[in-house]
Amino acid sequence: MKLLILTALLGMSFAQFNPNTKHGRTSIVHLFEWRWADIAAECERYLAPNGFGGVQISPPSESIIVTNPSYPWWQRYQPIGYNLCSRSGNENELRDMITRCNNVGVNIYVDAVINHMCGAGGGEGTHSSCGSYFNANKKDFPTVPYSNWDFNDGKCNTGSGNIENYNDVNQVRNCRLVSLLDLALEKDYVRGKVTGYMNKLIDMGVAGFRVDACKHMWPGDLSGVYGRLHSLNTKWFPSGSKPFIFQEVIDLGGEPITSNQYTGLGRVTEFKYGAKLGTTIRKWNNEKLSYLKNWGEGYGMMPSDKALVFVDNHDNQRGHGAGGGSILTFWDARLYKMAVALMLAHPYGVTRVMSSYRWSRNIVNGQDKNDWMGPPSNGNGSTKPVPINPDSTCGDNWVCEHRWRQIRNMVIFRNVVNGQPFSNWWDNGNNQIAFGRGNRGFIVINNDSGYLDATLNTGMPQGTYCDVISGQKEGSRCTGTQVQVGGDGRAYFKISHTADDPFIAIHANSKL
Ligand code: QV4
Ligand code: CA
């Protein structure tokens, strides 16, 4: 009996680490700033057929509308209530998207902004995405409703009321992050409003949450919030399934607030991953691909079963958040594809692929003056649809990294090798590496300044395989390079350092 209760309790707490993905799908894509109508279409026409497990969506909650600068992307991180309209669409469109994505087995994860409301300087009026009235000066948000006493100010001891020192845990959690009005999440009333919002989304069919700004919330308060969340909608998920929780905590070391204060509650974003992968692939500080033999925990990262990993995110691809100049993005496409492929081939963590829009960068002294720019929009600030070109890329400045052949095929690779061990590591002591995943997949990367020319043990069954980077298997033919694996599992690889994509990947389903 005792054992049963213990297993039940463990089951309950561990459930939040499971992304609840279907059909052996393993990766999430962040469709940053996409409209709900476009996401619904993308689930049906592209994500499900190509094995994507889920989508992280931009915050659906009612937010402030900022006109100076003109409709920045970050206005959505300043909620003024929990009504479900945003520049991505209204509540009906949101519900339609969740339903249609679920119907093709693609999960929706909501970016939940629950640490704060809008900035203190947000003013008074109805300049909000559903048109609700609010008054930031009085901390009055009648549409929730929150008022003056639902905020933390009394507990903040800095002169400005803002976080001034990240070494002071109380400041980080009780003061305002860049002036954003800080919610008193220890109050039962506030927790009730926050969980009411999250539960409404769960009931609509979402599979989990990216929880924004967790460093700024007490783990005990978060535990109180998560404990009140409903199980997932049984129309699409097994009865008793708990929402997947991944918490945004930027821990690059050197601060008193660490990831492991949150890993008991759900997964945590591992920011060391993209920062370190960036320095390694850029060969900064003499770092080399060959060092990645013990990538993951061996690099001082959190345990794999607690980590949510990514090469870049919507903040650090434009200099917000942390990570610094090493972060690779679509702007450095060649190195970026190598980084994303490496991430998707490697067993560490739950993987999230970024899907961005292009903006006019204006970098002055290392700082992008246009880091605020919102998605491709019409003059009135409404977000443009994502047009799909005949060659399946996206138009109108939507980058759609998730549709790049090399990235999409590695998302499929990860599904094919799911559950297989990291195996058959090889390196040349420098920037040429290879590794496999049991007998189901193998990747070879050349980031040196000379040819890679080697016969390697792939661990794969004998046969002819199609490289899914230079092309892919289409019917019985291969549009890319072919790789012959002998009866001993060995194969010959030659990769030029000047190739468009200096890496090769084969897997069980790319066998001809
Ligand atoms: C400015 C000044 C303040 C000043 C205030 C006065 O910076 O010092 O007190 O004016 O009014 C925007 C502006 C910012 C402005 C603020 C309030 O950029 O300059 O303050 O609004 O008006 C996003 C953006 C922020 C943006 C915020 C709210 O990145 O620039 O602030 O949305 O619109 C830390 C955290 C981490 C966080 C990361 C960016 O630990 O949690 O910073 N990451 C998440 C999200 C991120 C989001 C937030 C948190 C806040 O991923 O996108 O910030 O919800 O590392
Ligand atoms: Ca806080």
Side-chain angles (χ1 to χ4, degrees):
M1 185 61 188
K2 266 191 190 142
L3 191 69
L4 265 177
I5 295 174
L6 186 69
T7 341
L9 280 173
L10 281 175
M12 245 152 68
S13 57
F14 284 125
Q16 287 150 210
F17 298 84
N18 177 352
N20 303 308
T21 45
K22 307 241 174 67
H23 314 302
R25 299 173 185 168
T26 54
S27 294
I28 294 173
V29 56
H30 182 194
L31 296 180
F32 178 49
E33 283 284 2
W34 279 45
R35 296 156 67 249
W36 308 149
D38 290 319
I39 297 178
E42 190 72 351
C43 283
E44 295 168 345
R45 71 189 166 203
Y46 199 86
L47 300 179
N50 288 294
F52 286 81
V55 183
Q56 178 185 321
I57 63 170
S58 286
S61 44
E62 180 168 16
S63 73
I64 191 170
I65 291 178
V66 174
T67 46
N68 182 22
S70 187
Y71 314 118
W73 62 269
W74 45 251
Q75 66 185 13
R76 295 178 72 168
Y77 290 89
Q78 301 197 26
I80 70 99
Y82 303 125
N83 300 314
L84 297 172
C85 25
S86 62
R87 70 193 295 183
S88 289
N90 61 31
E91 180 169 341
N92 286 335
E93 291 164 316
L94 177 69
R95 188 183 298 276
D96 180 62
M97 170 195 76
I98 295 169
T99 302
R100 286 166 60 192
C101 290
N102 276 331
N103 285 347
V104 293
V106 178
N107 291 345
I108 299 295
Y109 307 99
V110 168
D111 195 343
V113 185
I114 60 174
N115 170 66
H116 52 261
M117 301 301 277
C118 68
E124 174 194 3
T126 55
H127 48 296
S128 55
S129 54
C130 315
S132 303
Y133 171 85
F134 67 98
N135 187 337
N137 311 318
K138 291 191 175 153
K139 293 180 246 171
D140 186 22
F141 299 91
T143 181
V144 180
Y146 286 140
S147 61
N148 201 15
W149 50 80
D150 298 318
F151 292 86
N152 265 335
D153 299 290
K155 277 170 275 154
C156 171
N157 49 16
T158 65
S160 63
N162 291 343
I163 300 166
E164 293 170 2
N165 176 4
Y166 274 77
N167 286 313
D168 178 340
V169 175
N170 284 290
Q171 274 187 37
V172 176
R173 292 182 172 144
N174 291 340
C175 296
R176 299 171 180 176
L177 167 64
V178 295
S179 94
L180 301 163
L181 298 173
D182 205 58
L183 285 167
L185 262 183
E186 85 282 5
K187 284 187 65 179
D188 190 64
Y189 176 79
V190 174
R191 286 186 193 174
K193 290 298 171 187
V194 164
T195 51
Y197 164 60
M198 295 170 84
N199 279 331
K200 177 169 180 182
L201 291 160
I202 290 173
D203 296 347
M204 286 168 79
V206 309
F209 300 92
R210 176 233 186 223
V211 185
D212 183 66
C214 286
K215 182 186 282 183
H216 308 283
M217 296 182 277
W218 297 93
D221 290 345
L222 286 173
S223 166
V225 167
Y226 303 158
R228 283 163 77 155
L229 295 181
H230 294 171
S231 293
L232 301 187
N233 188 319
T234 53
K235 180 157 185 224
W236 295 292
F237 301 96
S239 149
S241 303
K242 282 288 171 190
F244 178 48
I245 300 282
F246 56 108
Q247 307 166 98
E248 189 224 13
V249 179
I250 303 178
D251 174 5
L252 292 168
E255 288 179 24
I257 299 181
T258 57
S259 296
N260 68 16
Q261 294 161 11
Y262 295 85
T263 46
L265 303 173
R267 286 201 185 236
V268 176
T269 51
E270 179 52 275
F271 276 81
K272 289 173 186 152
Y273 195 99
K276 205 66 183 170
L277 199 52
T279 53
T280 304
I281 290 184
R282 292 179 191 275
K283 303 183 210 173
W284 287 1
N285 317 324
N286 276 320
E287 287 177 45
K288 296 175 173 27
L289 282 189
S290 59
Y291 299 163
L292 298 183
K293 185 172 185 176
N294 60 348
W295 183 235
E297 288 96 341
Y299 265 69
M301 297 181 210
M302 67 185 82
S304 174
D305 60 354
K306 304 286 187 280
L308 186 291
V309 299
F310 44 95
V311 173
D312 61 329
N313 80 347
H314 72 281
D315 283 329
N316 63 22
Q317 69 169 200
R318 48 177 47 69
H320 284 235
S326 79
I327 298 298
L328 288 166
T329 70
F330 68 88
W331 296 108
D332 301 290
R334 188 170 182 269
L335 296 183
Y336 186 66
K337 285 180 276 182
M338 211 185 297
V340 176
L342 211 154
M343 171 181 84
L344 292 169
H346 196 279
Y348 182 85
V350 164
T351 45
R352 178 178 63 194
V353 171
M354 181 68 200
S355 189
S356 321
Y357 57 82
R358 224 169 272 107
W359 70 99
S360 27
R361 281 203 299 185
N362 178 17
I363 298 177
V364 180
N365 299 326
Q367 277 265 337
D368 182 0
K369 296 273 176 207
N370 285 342
D371 65 346
W372 56 271
M373 284 190 161
S377 309
N378 303 302
N380 62 0
S382 61
T383 302
K384 284 188 177 174
V386 180
I388 307 298
N389 299 323
D391 67 355
S392 99
T393 60
C394 300
D396 256 350
N397 281 323
W398 295 97
V399 182
C400 291
E401 295 93 314
H402 69 288
R403 281 174 169 259
W404 294 2
R405 181 188 66 242
Q406 301 84 343
I407 291 179
R408 176 243 296 143
N409 284 350
M410 287 306 296
V411 165
I412 295 170
F413 177 109
R414 190 176 191 77
N415 294 344
V416 173
V417 304
N418 191 20
Q420 296 288 318
F422 181 68
S423 54
N424 293 304
W425 174 269
W426 169 85
D427 67 71
N428 73 340
N430 212 9
N431 288 295
Q432 300 182 350
I433 61 166
F435 61 91
R437 297 292 301 279
N439 59 3
R440 303 273 296 165
F442 195 70
I443 186 169
V444 189
I445 306 178
N446 179 13
N447 197 29
D448 262 346
S449 43
Y451 268 90
L452 180 152
D453 192 323
T455 299
L456 305 174
N457 183 15
T458 66
M460 309 272 292
Q462 181 169 19
T464 305
Y465 292 83
C466 185
D467 168 30
V468 298
I469 303 305
S470 54
Q472 62 203 359
K473 184 179 147 188
E474 276 169 20
S476 56
R477 77 180 244 284
C478 175
T479 61
T481 309
Q482 298 192 12
V483 177
Q484 306 291 339
V485 175
D488 57 357
R490 287 157 65 85
Y492 172 67
F493 294 93
K494 183 166 185 177
I495 305 177
S496 167
H497 52 291
T498 60
D500 284 348
D501 298 308
F503 54 106
I504 287 180
I506 56 174
H507 58 70
N509 294 0
S510 82
K511 191 171 179 193
L512 295 172

